[in-house]
Amino acid sequence: MVEKKNFHEYIIGIDTGGTFTDTVIVDENGNITAGKALTNYTDFKAGVLDSFENAVKNLGIAAEEVLTRTTLISHGTTLGTNAVINREMGKVGLLITKGHEDVPLIMRAGARTDGLSEAQIRHQAVCRKPAPLVPRPLIKGVIERVDCFSEIVTPLDKKQARSCIDELIEEGVEAIAISLLWSFANSKHEKELKEMIENAYPQIYIAASYEIAPQIREYARTMTVIIDAAIGTLMKSYIDSLNHEFMKRGLKKHISIMHAYGGVTSSSTARPVSTIESGPVGGVIGGKYLAEQLGYKDVITSDVGGTSFDVSVLKDGEWSFAKEPVMMRFRVAIPIIKITCIGAGGGTICQIDQATGRLKVGPESAGSNPGPVCYGLGGEDPTVTDADLILGYLNPDYFFEGRMKLDKEKAFKALKEKIADPLGMDVVEASSGIYDIINSYMADNLRQSVIEKGYDPRDFVLFAYGGNGPMHVGSFASELGIKKAFIPPQASVFSAFGIASSDVTHMYKRSELFPMPVKPEVVNQIFADMEKRALEDMEREGFDEEKVILKREVDLRYARQVHEVGVLVKGGELNSDDIENIIAEWEKNYEAIYGKGSAFKEAGVQLVSFRITAVAFTVKPVLKRDEKMASSDPKKAFKGLRKAFFAGENNFIETPIYDFTRLSYGNMLEGPAIVEAPTTTVIILPQQLVKMDEYHNIVFEKF
């Protein structure tokens, strides 16, 4: 338990989303203060500082005083993601083993469809591989060769390698990626190349595979270092600038950066590639933390923001990792928490499909600039938010804490001209259709995410968050038969809340190929080497060995298989019996995934990779809990009536509006009803029943 002080110390979480940038400030007693600002795509730092200033204003304390008392700022950013999507990256050169220069161009067999939606894949005639991040002239083959047994077959030709490096510099590259064949087995040549570049061109950013992804599979490993190099200079400049801005105002240590594998690390040790797609991970971490507090182990997290709908599954309290995940259409060799994402959010653009003449919702988004038409910032394409406004779900005078007035007339005009008139509908009918379509997309994504793992959605509780999650959960949760859904009080800033809840985490993976059973002394030595590095890195982060938890895993497969399945390994010295137990436990995991009887030990088992996760726990937000239940009658929170359209009623009906901040533990609301919070709105459909629990979650108990 945290010792009470006469003054507050703070932990801050910041999340840069597609539409809004969110800040959560948490003191050691669990008091949470939030702030929001529009994401600034031309200057991400400005959006972060605006959001932070808004949170500080809500806290009522000067920014300098907050920062001098802040023990940790953790930041999840989409800067790298946007840079890769928009190809606004630094110029990168690649050093690779001679004869393998075309690896990143050939890619893998499924490269034509990797990262595409089902609709895009169906158009086979126009399916193409993505344009390479490094053009062929900037890929240089260096003379060297290491074999699969880690033996140096051909020493590095340093004169020829220096010539390759000089040529890349003459071409104006800002960063150099290094990925040599079998370098994870013997990194000597990669280390020599890195040293040569550092000595001759210290200003060049270097991404070497032995440091970032020392593991098997050449294409994914190569793409990992290319992406890291491509955004390395940009990310370093951004983080350095943000550190400078916060530290000159009183922050005493560098900010920490959120990673896609879960957890944060110091910005001085963060690898840019692992920040890509890390934003939604904050929400998953927040979901895990909330689930632990509420006593649930099987949870679906759903995040509806301005641009996307992100779903993840926690089974037995743990998330899963994507195997060789696709990052911006490229396979990479870093762990990423498995999140299924579609383009469906408040800013999702609605239009008429020119080929079919039908209404099309998404996946494109209006983002924050120009944003939905009703924002009045220059947007011309109607969005889901515009439809929600027409249906009466949003209060045009109380959006974004009342700081932004929504223009209903502009939204009506855009929907009429671009959607309703071409379809021969009235605007309300078109808006209701948009609401139904986006909810169906969300339900399909959620169903696929859960069922593809072999689970039944009805066995899970659902957490709905993001600025737009509470507006749609009543529909998509009902369609899936979810029995209970929670909207946390921090819903609109939940990813920032999760980032503030994150532990300091380092993950290490190393590929080593051994037939099982392997000699235990070999395994012990490899784990000892990896754990030594992990503890050294944690010490640099400020954590002593006794404060660090180490988790061991290995990846195994049957002989001649391509993909592996992981299994946990106990700590300490292992013996022969432990190795046999690893095989037995792995086969249980294998059959749990692929079905009973699928295990085939006679094929022979191979150990492929070792993995260490090092975790240092940080101070967590304390969820405020009411001890005394109030009346079920929510009359104290009643704000008035507003006409809202509900498809089941096929009409606008007078709908009671409630103020979230005045609802109490035990209050119950029966739909139709609308709950307005400062930065989100909860839609309760007819016949649905919700209550407020002791943690101030809004809980859907009857759909």
Side-chain angles (χ1 to χ4, degrees):
M1 184 160 177
V2 179
E3 181 184 352
K4 295 288 193 301
K5 300 179 176 66
N6 293 325
F7 61 89
H8 290 308
E9 290 185 349
Y10 301 103
I11 294 173
I12 300 175
I14 302 174
D15 173 50
T16 302
T19 303
F20 289 99
T21 296
D22 303 330
T23 297
V24 164
I25 302 176
V26 186
D27 70 22
E28 76 274 13
N29 296 322
N31 299 303
I32 297 172
T33 304
K36 293 179 80 74
L38 288 171
T39 295
N40 188 328
Y41 282 92
T42 60
D43 184 359
F44 281 90
K45 183 182 71 175
V48 168
L49 295 175
D50 288 346
S51 174
F52 170 73
E53 291 289 353
N54 180 242
V56 167
K57 180 181 177 182
N58 292 336
L59 187 62
I61 301 176
E64 289 74 13
E65 187 174 349
V66 172
L67 288 171
T68 56
R69 296 178 180 178
T70 294
T71 58
L72 180 67
I73 291 183
S74 299
H75 180 29
T77 176
T78 56
L79 179 67
T81 305
N82 283 277
V84 178
I85 290 174
N86 299 318
R87 299 298 179 106
E88 296 172 349
M89 305 167 292
K91 193 173 184 179
V92 178
L94 172 65
L95 298 177
I96 198 165
T97 302
K98 191 167 183 63
H100 292 253
E101 294 90 339
D102 291 327
V103 163
L105 309 178
I106 296 172
M107 303 175 69
R108 291 268 294 276
R112 291 174 64 250
T113 58
D114 276 347
L116 296 180
S117 67
E118 290 185 14
Q120 291 169 318
I121 292 172
R122 282 197 292 269
H123 293 281
Q124 282 292 308
V126 295
C127 276
R128 295 286 186 275
K129 291 180 181 180
L133 297 181
V134 181
R136 184 61 178 82
L138 296 182
I139 302 174
K140 304 295 182 181
V142 296
I143 297 172
E144 67 85 40
R145 192 60 185 263
V146 173
D147 67 16
C148 64
F149 303 107
S150 77
E151 297 295 328
I152 295 177
V153 178
T154 303
L156 177 67
D157 186 330
K158 293 188 177 182
K159 182 178 179 181
Q160 186 263 352
R162 177 59 188 265
S163 176
C164 290
I165 294 168
D166 291 343
E167 288 173 13
L168 291 176
I169 298 301
E170 289 171 6
E171 290 284 349
V173 302
E174 301 169 39
I176 295 178
I178 306 171
S179 181
L180 304 181
L181 195 65
W182 295 100
S183 59
F184 61 87
N186 185 335
S187 59
K188 183 175 185 293
H189 292 166
E190 284 202 0
K191 289 177 178 177
E192 290 175 346
L193 285 173
K194 182 181 179 184
E195 185 178 355
M196 290 169 64
I197 299 169
E198 287 176 332
N199 290 338
Y201 305 104
Q203 79 281 8
I204 294 295
Y205 182 90
I206 306 168
S209 76
Y210 80 91
E211 293 181 309
I212 301 173
Q215 52 193 280
I216 198 168
R217 297 198 178 94
E218 188 180 6
Y219 162 60
R221 175 163 48 88
T222 301
M223 289 312 308
T224 304
V225 292
I226 287 175
I227 292 174
D228 189 85
I231 62 174
T233 303
L234 176 69
M235 285 292 295
K236 185 178 185 305
S237 174
Y238 169 72
I239 292 170
D240 287 349
S241 176
L242 206 54
N243 270 322
H244 174 74
E245 198 67 44
F246 280 127
M247 295 185 82
K248 79 177 184 181
R249 299 188 188 191
L251 185 67
K252 296 173 183 176
K253 60 182 291 188
H254 286 176
I255 64 175
S256 292
I257 302 298
M258 188 76 212
H259 291 282
Y261 54 71
V264 298
T265 63
S266 168
S267 56
S268 61
T269 61
R271 296 303 314 199
V273 65
S274 67
T275 69
I276 292 183
E277 300 184 356
S278 65
V281 168
V284 179
I285 292 173
K288 177 179 170 64
Y289 178 62
L290 180 59
E292 290 170 349
Q293 304 302 302
L294 298 177
Y296 292 102
K297 290 190 173 182
D298 296 338
V299 176
I300 303 166
T301 66
S302 61
D303 181 359
V304 188
T307 59
S308 64
F309 177 61
D310 306 311
V311 174
S312 192
V313 178
L314 299 173
K315 178 64 177 173
D316 295 325
E318 298 295 334
W319 52 65
S320 59
F321 291 98
K323 295 177 181 177
E324 203 175 81
V326 177
M327 184 179 284
M328 309 302 156
R329 297 206 62 200
F330 299 102
R331 295 274 171 181
V332 293
I334 59 171
I336 295 177
I337 291 177
K338 190 165 187 179
I339 297 175
T340 308
C341 173
I342 61 172
T348 299
I349 293 172
C350 312
Q351 56 190 313
I352 303 300
D353 190 314
Q354 298 302 313
T356 64
R358 297 177 180 176
L359 175 60
K360 178 186 175 186
V361 181
E364 298 83 4
S365 173
S368 62
N369 189 6
V373 175
C374 61
Y375 280 15
L377 300 176
E380 298 180 352
D381 296 316
T383 67
V384 171
T385 292
D386 294 305
D388 290 339
L389 179 62
I390 296 301
L391 295 174
Y393 299 155
L394 292 173
N395 181 346
D397 298 319
Y398 190 63
F399 184 79
F400 193 17
E401 301 177 281
R403 288 191 284 152
M404 181 182 288
K405 305 293 183 183
L406 300 183
D407 193 324
K408 194 170 183 178
E409 289 185 9
K410 283 186 177 180
F412 186 94
K413 182 180 179 182
L415 284 162
K416 183 177 189 302
E417 293 178 355
K418 297 196 172 185
I419 304 296
D421 287 352
L423 293 176
M425 298 179 172
D426 63 40
V427 173
V428 173
E429 187 180 6
S431 298
S432 180
I434 290 168
Y435 186 76
D436 289 342
I437 289 171
I438 201 73
N439 289 333
S440 294
Y441 286 167
M442 293 175 185
D444 286 344
N445 185 28
L446 199 152
R447 184 184 294 109
Q448 178 182 342
S449 299
V450 179
I451 292 177
E452 74 173 5
K453 294 178 179 293
Y455 305 139
D456 187 335
R458 294 170 295 184
D459 296 332
F460 289 71
V461 298
L462 177 75
F463 292 168
Y465 51 88
N468 287 283
M471 296 197 60
H472 298 273
V473 63
S475 178
F476 66 73
S478 175
E479 188 171 331
L480 264 77
I482 298 291
K483 294 179 181 178
K484 187 174 286 190
F486 292 79
I487 299 173
Q490 314 86 5
S492 68
V493 293
F494 198 71
S495 286
F497 169 80
I499 291 169
S501 308
S502 298
D503 296 312
V504 175
T505 305
H506 288 263
M507 188 174 285
Y508 309 85
K509 189 173 181 179
R510 173 174 163 182
S511 289
E512 296 278 358
L513 301 176
F514 298 108
M516 293 291 277
V518 64
K519 291 181 180 180
E521 53 266 29
V522 173
V523 176
N524 289 331
Q525 186 59 55
I526 291 174
F527 273 133
D529 292 343
M530 295 176 72
E531 289 173 352
K532 181 176 182 291
R533 178 188 171 190
L535 292 173
E536 288 173 348
D537 286 346
M538 279 298 191
E539 187 176 3
R540 281 190 285 271
E541 294 260 23
F543 296 98
D544 296 331
E545 181 175 340
E546 61 269 16
K547 295 181 180 179
V548 179
I549 303 297
L550 297 172
K551 184 174 77 171
R552 297 172 167 183
E553 295 173 90
V554 292
D555 295 324
L556 307 179
R557 68 186 181 194
Y558 287 117
R560 303 193 181 214
Q561 286 190 328
V562 176
H563 297 292
E564 305 86 42
V565 173
V567 63
L568 290 172
V569 178
K570 74 174 190 176
E573 290 286 316
L574 303 178
N575 56 37
S576 297
D577 289 340
D578 294 324
I579 300 299
E580 291 294 340
N581 289 337
I582 289 172
I583 298 172
E585 192 64 30
W586 173 77
E587 290 196 316
K588 288 181 184 177
N589 290 358
Y590 188 94
E591 288 197 337
I593 296 172
Y594 297 110
K596 192 169 181 60
S598 60
F600 187 54
K601 193 172 182 178
E602 292 79 3
V605 179
Q606 294 178 331
L607 192 160
V608 179
S609 297
F610 296 78
R611 188 162 52 251
I612 289 287
T613 304
V615 179
F617 297 115
T618 59
V619 177
K620 299 292 186 295
V622 179
L623 297 181
K624 293 293 185 179
R625 184 177 185 273
D626 288 342
E627 298 293 336
K628 186 177 179 181
M629 183 184 292
S631 164
S632 62
D633 190 345
K635 62 182 179 182
K636 289 184 178 179
F638 181 71
K639 293 179 68 173
L641 298 171
R642 182 167 74 239
K643 287 187 176 182
F645 185 90
F646 295 95
E649 305 294 328
N650 199 31
N651 204 351
F652 280 91
I653 57 177
E654 292 285 356
T655 304
I657 312 298
Y658 296 92
D659 183 344
F660 175 85
T661 63
R662 300 195 331 241
L663 286 171
S664 300
Y665 168 34
N667 285 173
M668 303 193 76
L669 293 81
E670 187 173 356
I674 296 174
V675 179
E676 293 181 346
T679 53
T680 191
T681 301
V682 183
I683 304 299
I684 306 167
L685 301 177
Q687 280 76 59
Q688 292 183 345
L689 183 67
V690 307
K691 74 171 185 179
M692 176 165 276
D693 71 6
E694 61 269 40
Y695 294 101
H696 285 214
N697 299 299
I698 289 182
V699 186
F700 281 76
E701 294 201 316
K702 176 187 173 186
F703 288 98

